[in-house]
């Protein structure tokens, strides 16, 4: 009976922790809707958006691979043993591969154009259907040629849009950021550490994830609904993942 109650309590605490951080990230699209925010094009950009560009690049290919490696190393001081760390890193790799694979399938299924692509189509004789019918390398040329006639467009934004010519829904960057935050929250819960290092890791990962979501809106690559659904998808996958991991003996003793 006691063992059953302890098991239930562990599941409940994990559910609450993952859900609270998920709700925090959901505030980004919620606030966008509350204040009726819409992407206003390159004219509305400021210096902070350039900073957000560098944040969003940490989740862009190929830099996301470096980000994953650095984040995995950050767990070394908070995981008790090297064996548990290796196992945790394997779970992290599985999480990223699963969520990004699912993202790719959903993008192809829904085929929603990005906000900046819609703006491009409205300002030129190129339709969104035509844009997505041509190969990716040709899409990039279309984007770069479009911005070449707009000298007010920052070079970094033109380059970013040229590399981001896929579909809008769901947001791969959002799933990536939310996934890493929930991995951090889940594993620090499993290993039961409440040290300053753990609080710093969770706090830093939270700030990074929030900025990542904001960047996807500010740079014109996603709509608020993309962020919301992507966040919920990541929460569902990682909650199921940690329910499974909590039953594993290698983690169970640490929690107790």
């Amino acid at each position: 009976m006691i063992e059953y109650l302890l098991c239930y309590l562990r599941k409940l605490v994990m559910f609450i922790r993952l859900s609270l951080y998920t709700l925090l990230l959901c505030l980004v699209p919620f606030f966008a809707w509350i204040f009726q925010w819409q992407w206003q094009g390159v004219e509305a950009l400021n210096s902070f958006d350039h900073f957000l560009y560098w944040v969003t690049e940490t989740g862009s290919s190929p830099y996301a691979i470096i980000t994953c490696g650095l984040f995995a190393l950050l767990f070394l001081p908070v995981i008790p043993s090297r064996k548990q760390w290796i196992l945790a890193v394997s779970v992290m790799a599985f999480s990223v591969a699963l969520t990004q694979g699912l993202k790719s399938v959903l993008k192809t299924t829904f085929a929603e154009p990005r906000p900046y692509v819609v703006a491009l189509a409205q300002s030129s004789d190129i339709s969104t259907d035509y844009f997505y019918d041509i190969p990716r390398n040709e899409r990039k040329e279309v984007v770069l040629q479009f911005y070449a006639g707009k000298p007010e467009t920052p070079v970094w934004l033109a380059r970013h849009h040229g590399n981001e010519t896929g579909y809008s829904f769901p947001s791969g960057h959002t799933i990536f950021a939310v996934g890493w935050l929930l991995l951090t929250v889940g594993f620090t819960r499993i290993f039961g550490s409440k040290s300053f290092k753990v609080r710093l890791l969770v706090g830093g990962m939270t700030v990074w994830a929030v900025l990542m979501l904001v960047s996807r809106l500010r740079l014109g690559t996603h709509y608020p609904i993309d962020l919301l659904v992507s966040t919920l998808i990541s929460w569902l996958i990682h909650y199921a993942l940690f329910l499974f991991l909590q039953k594993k003996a290698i983690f169970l003793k640490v929690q107790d």
Side-chain angles (χ1 to χ4, degrees):
M1 183 64 179
I2 295 178
E3 182 65 28
Y4 173 80
L5 290 175
L6 288 175
C7 180
Y8 176 78
L9 181 61
R10 284 194 295 266
K11 292 180 180 178
L12 179 61
V13 171
M14 182 65 75
F15 173 80
I16 293 173
R17 282 178 61 85
L18 294 179
S19 298
L20 285 176
Y21 281 91
T22 299
L23 179 60
L24 174 63
L25 295 181
C26 286
L27 292 179
V28 174
F30 285 159
F31 276 119
W33 282 319
I34 290 172
F35 292 103
Q36 298 182 329
W37 182 90
Q38 290 183 332
W39 189 60
Q40 301 298 318
V42 298
E43 294 80 6
L45 295 176
N46 54 47
S47 57
F48 183 65
D49 293 305
H50 194 186
F51 168 72
L52 291 177
Y53 160 74
W54 291 111
V55 173
T56 213
E57 283 293 89
T58 62
S60 302
S61 177
Y63 309 112
I65 299 175
I66 300 174
T67 301
C68 289
L70 291 175
F71 283 176
L73 291 175
L74 292 178
F75 282 84
L76 268 173
V78 301
I79 295 180
S81 72
R82 183 61 59 88
K83 181 179 179 181
Q84 290 172 326
W85 178 78
I86 293 174
L87 182 58
V89 170
S90 299
V91 173
M92 295 171 195
F94 170 78
S95 162
V96 172
L98 175 63
T99 53
Q100 292 304 305
L102 178 60
K103 173 266 302 182
S104 298
V105 172
L106 293 175
K107 277 184 180 291
T108 304
T109 301
F110 290 96
E112 292 290 334
R114 294 184 184 274
Y116 89 84
V117 174
V118 173
L120 183 153
Q122 292 173 345
S123 302
S124 66
D125 57 354
I126 296 175
S127 68
T128 57
D129 289 338
Y130 171 80
F131 181 85
Y132 284 107
D133 281 341
I134 61 179
R136 274 183 176 269
N137 60 327
E138 294 184 27
R139 294 180 210 167
K140 182 175 183 178
E141 288 303 315
V142 169
V143 172
L144 295 180
Q145 288 176 13
F146 174 76
Y147 285 129
K150 292 181 175 294
E152 71 276 12
T153 305
V155 174
W156 53 266
L157 182 65
R159 183 171 60 245
H160 181 62
H161 283 178
N163 293 329
E164 295 283 333
T165 57
Y167 293 114
S168 181
F169 180 87
S171 168
H173 282 73
T174 297
I175 290 177
F176 181 76
V178 177
W180 272 107
L181 175 58
L182 296 184
L183 285 169
T184 305
V185 172
F187 275 120
T188 52
R189 165 57 196 164
I190 280 182
F191 293 113
S193 178
K194 298 180 180 179
S195 66
F196 175 75
K197 292 181 295 185
V198 168
R199 292 195 294 269
L200 186 63
L201 178 59
V202 174
M205 199 70 75
T206 302
V207 172
W208 170 76
V210 169
L211 290 175
M212 179 68 80
L213 268 64
V214 172
S215 76
R216 304 315 287 161
L217 295 177
R218 291 290 304 175
L219 299 182
T221 52
H222 286 288
Y223 297 100
I225 188 63
D226 302 343
L227 273 57
L228 178 63
V229 175
S230 300
T231 300
L232 295 177
I233 289 173
S234 192
W235 170 82
L236 183 62
I237 290 174
H238 288 89
Y239 177 57
L241 179 63
F242 280 108
L243 280 184
F244 171 77
L245 292 179
Q246 281 186 312
K247 300 176 183 178
K248 301 291 104 178
I250 190 172
F251 295 134
L252 193 58
K253 292 181 180 180
V254 176
Q255 296 178 85
D256 295 339

